[in-house]
Amino acid sequence: SIVKVYDDRALTGTNDKRPGFQQMIRDAKKSEWNYVIVYQLDRFARNRYDSAIYKTKLKANNVKVLSAQENI
């Protein structure tokens, strides 16, 4: 089941200043879902450092990032 869609249309993935993205990170603390599904990983974060930081934050809340297009 899809619990919520976090959408930041027309905002760059090169930084974390995206309202939907930040809401997703905050909502992960509520433990209402276990996965974040992205089309491709560069839609999550383009910067490897940001990607690692936010994946670690999600993992601390038992949330895993999955890609629809990439086998990770």
Side-chain angles (χ1 to χ4, degrees):
S1 297
I2 296 173
V3 176
K4 187 167 183 179
V5 174
Y6 298 91
D7 191 2
D8 288 311
R9 290 189 190 270
L11 294 178
T12 182
T14 58
N15 63 56
D16 61 357
K17 293 172 180 53
R18 297 174 278 157
F21 183 82
Q22 290 299 324
Q23 186 63 53
M24 175 192 66
I25 298 300
R26 287 190 298 273
D27 287 352
K29 295 176 185 175
K30 298 175 188 174
S31 299
E32 294 177 354
W33 34 267
N34 301 98
Y35 301 99
V36 170
I37 303 171
V38 296
Y39 180 70
Q40 287 182 284
L41 291 176
D42 67 354
R43 302 292 93 196
F44 180 75
R46 299 242 175 114
N47 179 306
R48 283 186 171 185
Y49 177 78
D50 285 345
S51 181
I53 294 295
Y54 286 109
K55 284 181 184 176
T56 300
K57 287 183 180 190
L58 291 171
K59 186 177 180 181
N61 293 297
N62 297 313
V63 176
K64 185 175 180 178
V65 177
L66 302 176
S67 170
Q69 293 291 310
E70 300 157 310
N71 186 17
I72 57 170

